[in-house]
Amino acid sequence: MAMLVRNVRLPDGRQGQDLLVQNGRIAAIGPALAAPEDCVTLDGGDWLLSPPFVDAHFHLDATLSHGLPRVNESGTLLEGIQLWGELKPQLTQEAVVERALRYCDWAVGRGLLAIRSHVDVCDDRLLAVEALLQVREQVRPYLDLQLVAFPQDGLLRSPGALENLKRALDRGVDVVGGIPHHERTMAQGAESVRLLCELAAERGLRVDMHCDESDDPLSRHVESLAFETQRLGLQGRVTGSHLTSMHSMDNYYASKLIALMAESELSAVANPLINITLQGRHDSYPKRRGMTRVPELTAAGIKVAFGHDCVLDPWYSLGSADMLEVAAMGLHVAQMTSREAMRLCFDAVTVNAARILGLEGYGLEPGCQADFVLLQARSPEEAIRLRAARLLVVRRGQVLSRMSCSEARLSLPGRPERVDWSFGAPN
Ligand code: FE2
């Protein structure tokens, strides 16, 4: 059946647009489109219609496990890893599946319809891998889940990790992951990057590595990742995630590194909510922000996305699958406050993330998949400012979720009854 959404705004600033869906794809976008027969017509209310949110970096195997078996007291990455290590032997496949499915419900309600999730392979049972493969199948009709084989305890540091990682790929995990900064030495980290990139080249897979997730200004694994990408001809298929040490690097070295990353067509994923809480924990004052150099990477032509990374798990005690919250934190931490920069923050949780995942048919053009979210906002920056309500979430032309407009009713003398949260006409 066809669907016509009348009177919406688009992220590129067009207003008064109708969007026609036929056979699960966008058939046309324009003003005052004619409705075909048997067409469901919806009023877009002059709100912003965006392609769905995409999370380029998440850990679905750990999500919603907050407090199991205890809470991270120090708030550090290392205590989080230790805590996850305590929880791992107690995991059951059913519990991981149940928590992951629950999170995917949250995601759909928030208009988040594609997630790249790392999955820990440092467990001979591959329990989390089996669980998330099951979840990937179960959510396939409504959410794209891409899995990254992630050796959480270190590829070389954890016995059997390389074999387990290969077994995970054999089972159908999509992307090669890594964690070079968690190996025993800088040399071992570089060796892990080499091995993993060679594995990806052999198998024709993408790479997404946790890289230099520390405050160490001398951490050099992004450099190795860029080098191996070029050496093996993996340009355009490799992503460096976190890259927090870049925040602390010497400016001269960073300028050389960013050029090398651009030359290698590396993509970058920052995880603002997690980076701002986990990093800088060894500092007194001033405390470093610990997020990678998003404006500088973007200026060099590098694709940058923002990920949620964690929700209610050993590393982070908050979160609700809200990629607008992620974009807002990224905007603040990177001081991306110009109008253009705020739009880049919106792109970081939509189009840029979709490109990093390599999603087919993503976007708002005729011929694209009819996947979109109607936001109670007039522009992308207003959506970020208001953490806008997701009025309608649609995938392949099917409505997956609806939400009423969020509104406050006042009882004030001489003032309007309803609060209007919009401001000006930003487009
Ligand atoms: Fe991560």
Side-chain angles (χ1 to χ4, degrees):
M1 189 184 283
M3 172 193 282
L4 184 62
V5 187
R6 289 228 182 267
N7 188 27
V8 295
R9 295 174 181 231
L10 302 177
D12 64 12
R14 279 179 283 169
Q15 299 181 21
Q17 302 291 302
D18 296 350
L19 181 138
L20 177 64
V21 173
Q22 281 175 318
N23 303 317
R25 296 211 172 240
I26 296 173
I29 299 181
L33 296 179
E37 274 180 40
D38 287 336
C39 178
V40 175
T41 301
L42 301 169
D43 178 13
D46 193 27
W47 297 120
L48 176 69
L49 187 137
S50 163
F53 296 109
V54 177
D55 186 353
H57 188 111
F58 196 65
H59 294 263
L60 199 55
D61 50 358
T63 198
L64 308 194
S65 67
H66 181 62
L68 298 176
R70 60 186 176 83
V71 170
N72 184 336
E73 292 298 336
S74 68
T76 59
L77 171 70
L78 293 179
E79 188 179 341
I81 294 175
Q82 190 188 338
L83 219 166
W84 174 239
E86 291 169 29
L87 176 58
K88 252 195 279 191
Q90 301 173 24
L91 292 176
T92 66
Q93 192 169 323
E94 300 75 55
V96 174
V97 168
E98 182 50 40
R99 290 195 284 261
L101 287 174
R102 186 159 179 230
Y103 183 79
C104 291
D105 295 344
W106 294 8
V108 171
R110 295 283 198 199
L112 167 57
L113 298 185
I115 299 174
R116 174 180 278 184
S117 173
H118 297 252
V119 52
D120 189 357
V121 299
C122 292
D123 166 13
D124 293 339
R125 302 169 299 167
L126 291 185
L127 183 142
V129 170
E130 293 301 331
L132 292 197
L133 285 169
Q134 184 186 330
V135 171
R136 189 178 67 181
E137 282 317 297
Q138 217 163 320
V139 302
R140 196 182 289 281
Y142 55 89
L143 187 145
D144 290 311
L145 178 57
Q146 198 175 79
L147 299 177
V148 185
F150 175 49
Q152 171 75 77
D153 300 329
L155 185 81
L156 301 173
R157 188 172 172 178
S158 169
L162 179 57
E163 273 318 301
N164 288 344
L165 189 140
K166 288 179 181 169
R167 284 169 55 218
L169 297 176
D170 293 341
R171 295 281 297 118
V173 169
D174 308 278
V175 179
V176 176
I179 184 165
H181 54 276
H182 196 56
E183 303 293 352
R184 287 195 176 91
T185 65
M186 202 63 81
Q188 290 263 287
E191 174 68 359
S192 79
V193 172
R194 183 181 69 77
L195 288 169
L196 290 163
C197 287
E198 285 178 357
L199 189 60
E202 253 169 55
R203 298 193 180 215
L205 297 175
R206 290 171 191 265
V207 176
D208 188 337
M209 242 177 250
H210 285 63
C211 219
D212 296 335
E213 187 182 1
S214 77
D215 296 316
D216 177 3
L218 298 177
S219 201
R220 292 290 182 262
H221 300 303
V222 192
E223 180 184 275
S224 301
L225 187 63
F227 175 79
E228 292 298 339
T229 298
Q230 287 204 35
R231 183 177 73 83
L232 296 162
L234 295 172
Q235 289 91 337
R237 285 163 46 189
V238 178
T239 300
S241 278
H242 290 287
L243 314 180
T244 54
S245 61
M246 289 185 73
H247 184 86
S248 300
M249 280 172 187
D250 168 74
N251 283 338
Y252 170 75
Y253 176 68
S255 70
K256 179 195 164 198
L257 177 64
I258 289 171
L260 181 65
M261 291 168 70
E263 199 179 279
S264 312
E265 298 173 41
L266 236 59
S267 300
V269 178
N271 298 297
L273 292 164
I274 310 308
N275 298 154
I276 196 70
T277 45
L278 288 184
Q279 304 305 316
R281 289 279 180 163
H282 297 266
D283 294 352
S284 53
Y285 288 95
K287 288 183 192 289
R288 284 167 286 178
R289 293 169 190 229
M291 192 168 86
T292 196
R293 303 187 184 207
V294 176
E296 292 76 9
L297 289 165
T298 303
I302 293 166
K303 270 194 294 292
V304 182
F306 292 156
H308 207 316
D309 198 11
C310 300
V311 168
L312 291 163
D313 70 7
W315 296 273
Y316 188 59
S317 320
L318 296 162
S320 67
D322 186 351
M323 295 309 291
L324 287 172
E325 186 186 8
V326 173
M329 182 56 78
L331 183 158
H332 285 82
V333 175
Q335 301 180 327
M336 294 174 70
T337 50
S338 72
R339 188 172 162 211
E340 190 191 0
M342 287 197 278
R343 294 208 166 193
L344 282 171
C345 292
F346 191 81
D347 290 348
V349 294
T350 52
V351 289
N352 282 9
R355 284 195 202 114
I356 289 173
L357 266 67
L359 296 181
E360 295 293 332
Y362 180 92
L364 291 181
E365 299 294 334
C368 288
Q369 305 280 11
D371 301 351
F372 52 86
V373 52
L374 188 67
L375 297 163
Q376 189 189 351
R378 307 291 186 203
S379 67
E381 53 269 37
E382 188 162 278
I384 295 174
R385 179 173 69 82
L386 298 175
R387 320 288 192 274
R390 283 66 164 174
L391 303 175
L392 195 65
V393 179
V394 172
R395 176 167 156 111
R396 312 295 191 254
Q398 304 293 318
V399 176
L400 299 183
S401 175
R402 286 173 190 270
M403 186 185 264
S404 312
C405 277
S406 120
E407 59 174 31
R409 297 203 171 213
L410 302 177
S411 301
L412 297 175
R415 299 303 304 152
E417 188 195 357
R418 198 170 291 176
V419 176
D420 179 2
W421 302 105
S422 292
F423 181 78
N427 284 321

